[in-house]
Amino acid sequence: MTEKYLRRVLDNLKTAVVVADQNLKAVFFNRAFKNLFPDGSQRGKLGKITACVHCEKDCGGDSCRGCALSDAFEDAFLSNKETGRRIFQRVKSGDSVHEVAYSITVTPIGGGLCMGAVDDAFELEIARELQTAKNIQQRLLPAGKWAGGKKYSYVYIPCRDIGGDLPDVYTCGDNACGMIADVSGKGISAGMLSAFVKAAYDKTADSPANAIKSLSAKFRELNLDERNYVTVAAVNIDKENITYSMAGHNVPLLLKSGNGITRVILNSPPVSNWFENPAYFDDTLPYKKGDILVLLTDGVTECKNGRGEMFGVEKVVRTLSTARTADDFIKSLEDNLRGFCSDLNDDITAIAFDL
């Protein structure tokens, strides 16, 4: 009766609590602990119940050497004194893996048991929410490979869990349309702004320029300060021409044709609160069947290697010159970028269309 009562008390605590024996096997953990590690097992050793990626087969094996969580409990057992540790773990969350950090205080409670209380559950909760936000952002990405009768391919690699780039491809009437946006900043704030762009961009507009004008008007309603802005490149591809517009996007559109590679730039201000009445314009570019159209963000061209050298437009052009299809270009571009820079320092985004 007393044990059941104590379990009920612990289960209703807001503090996450786990009780383990000397074999580091959890004999009890409360509801708050389960909420922090929803992908953990219902029983087993500490690594199992926290969904630690190193403990899929055997918690405490060679891959777990130096595990701060196990060390905290072992030290408490050996010293018979309260022990605190700062824990850094890689844990499973759905189909992905993410890093979490938290503090735990382990106290011997007799009977060959120790109780661990998570002190920084809020920080761990933030990490879990970030992973959820990352999963949501992934759902904002283009889902298919065809739009308006055109096959396309893209790459999107955020330099942090949450990115500030936004690629979008869709069909408007009989035409294939593409939009690539790069918002100011990085991380959570950039992710929120890119989600706004996704929702505010008017896919029913009759031209890229009008879609950007509508986005600019909605952006101004947010009344953000001058540090916040969005650069955009947008295209509408019909049977003969590419209609395009840009908003502060300094990376050229690239069109590979039988005549070589054409670089297209259209000067216009970014979507921001910097100007009272910004103007955006459309222009057109003819193409032929078999051409390849590429849209990029500056994270591609400004990617730096260890010597501080930029990848640059020239390397993108060389990659495109040997590509036979849009998919071939995107795969080669990603390979070349990863070979050029082992630690990508900006969001990497590119879209390519087979025309």
Side-chain angles (χ1 to χ4, degrees), residues 153-208:
S153 185
Y154 73 93
V155 60
Y156 170 73
I157 308 172
C159 69
R160 299 182 182 177
D161 282 343
I162 309 297
D165 283 1
L166 176 67
D168 202 5
V169 180
Y170 58 96
T171 300
C172 185
D174 295 327
N175 299 345
C177 296
M179 182 273 287
I180 197 164
D182 185 358
V183 310
S184 55
K186 295 181 177 68
I188 298 174
S189 60
M192 292 180 68
L193 194 52
S194 67
F196 162 80
V197 173
K198 174 76 174 183
Y201 189 82
D202 185 4
K203 294 183 179 181
T204 65
D206 57 5
S207 77

Side-chain angles (χ1 to χ4, degrees), residues 86 126 155 180 186 203 210 217 309 315 326 331 340:
R86 184 69 172 162
I126 289 175
V155 60
I180 197 164
K186 295 181 177 68
K203 294 183 179 181
N210 285 336
E309 300 167 336
K315 287 186 177 63
K331 289 178 180 177
F340 179 79

Side-chain angles (χ1 to χ4, degrees), residues 55-339:
C55 302
E56 295 200 8
K57 294 183 179 179
D58 180 27
C59 179
D62 290 341
S63 64
C64 299
R65 288 178 180 173
C67 171
L69 182 59
S70 297
D71 287 349
F73 276 85
E74 288 178 345
D75 287 353
F77 279 119
L78 291 172
S79 66
N80 199 33
K81 294 180 180 178
E82 183 176 281
T83 302
R85 285 288 191 281
R86 184 69 172 162
I87 311 298
F88 298 91
Q89 270 184 290
R90 297 180 73 239
V91 301
K92 291 183 292 183
S93 178
D95 296 328
S96 59
V97 173
H98 66 283
E99 296 181 356
V100 298
Y102 58 95
S103 296
I104 191 167
T105 301
V106 182
T107 306
I109 58 176
L113 301 174
C114 279
M115 181 179 71
V118 178
D119 297 331
D120 290 342
F122 181 67
E123 183 176 345
L124 196 150
E125 182 71 14
I126 289 175
R128 196 156 61 87
E129 290 299 323
L130 280 174
Q131 184 62 35
T132 301
K134 180 181 179 180
N135 293 338
I136 291 172
Q137 191 173 60
Q138 289 292 321
R139 295 175 184 272
L140 300 180
L141 300 176
K145 292 293 183 182
W146 291 85
K150 305 296 183 187
K151 191 174 182 180
Y152 69 90
S153 185
Y154 73 93
V155 60
Y156 170 73
I157 308 172
C159 69
R160 299 182 182 177
D161 282 343
I162 309 297
D165 283 1
L166 176 67
D168 202 5
V169 180
Y170 58 96
T171 300
C172 185
D174 295 327
N175 299 345
C177 296
M179 182 273 287
I180 197 164
D182 185 358
V183 310
S184 55
K186 295 181 177 68
I188 298 174
S189 60
M192 292 180 68
L193 194 52
S194 67
F196 162 80
V197 173
K198 174 76 174 183
Y201 189 82
D202 185 4
K203 294 183 179 181
T204 65
D206 57 5
S207 77
N210 285 336
I212 293 175
K213 289 176 185 176
S214 175
L215 175 64
S216 178
K218 293 174 183 176
F219 181 90
R220 293 173 68 84
E221 292 176 1
L222 296 178
N223 198 29
L224 300 176
D225 63 37
E226 67 278 359
R227 293 172 296 179
N228 296 281
Y229 61 91
V230 184
T231 71
V232 184
V235 297
N236 184 312
I237 308 168
D238 61 27
K239 294 181 178 179
E240 297 179 346
N241 297 296
I242 302 163
T243 302
Y244 62 92
S245 186
M246 298 187 190
H249 205 76
N250 60 358
V251 185
L253 304 179
L254 301 177
L255 177 65
K256 180 183 180 181
S257 65
N259 297 322
I261 295 175
T262 302
R263 308 183 193 191
V264 181
I265 295 179
L266 185 62
N267 293 324
S268 55
V271 173
S272 66
N273 289 324
W274 300 349
F275 307 98
E276 286 294 330
N277 296 298
Y280 302 103
F281 305 96
D282 289 315
D283 208 341
T284 60
L285 186 68
Y287 73 88
K288 294 183 179 179
K289 184 176 176 59
D291 292 351
I292 301 175
L293 175 67
V294 173
L295 289 72
L296 307 159
T297 60
D298 61 10
V300 175
T301 56
E302 296 178 6
C303 178
K304 293 181 180 179
N305 62 15
R307 296 186 297 274
E309 300 167 336
M310 288 189 182
F311 192 77
V313 177
E314 292 298 334
K315 287 186 177 63
V316 178
V317 169
R318 285 202 293 271
T319 303
L320 181 57
S321 66
T322 60
R324 293 169 296 175
T325 64
D327 191 56
D328 186 28
F329 165 74
I330 291 296
K331 289 178 180 177
S332 296
L333 179 66
E334 182 173 355
D335 289 343
N336 292 343
L337 282 167
R338 292 191 183 279

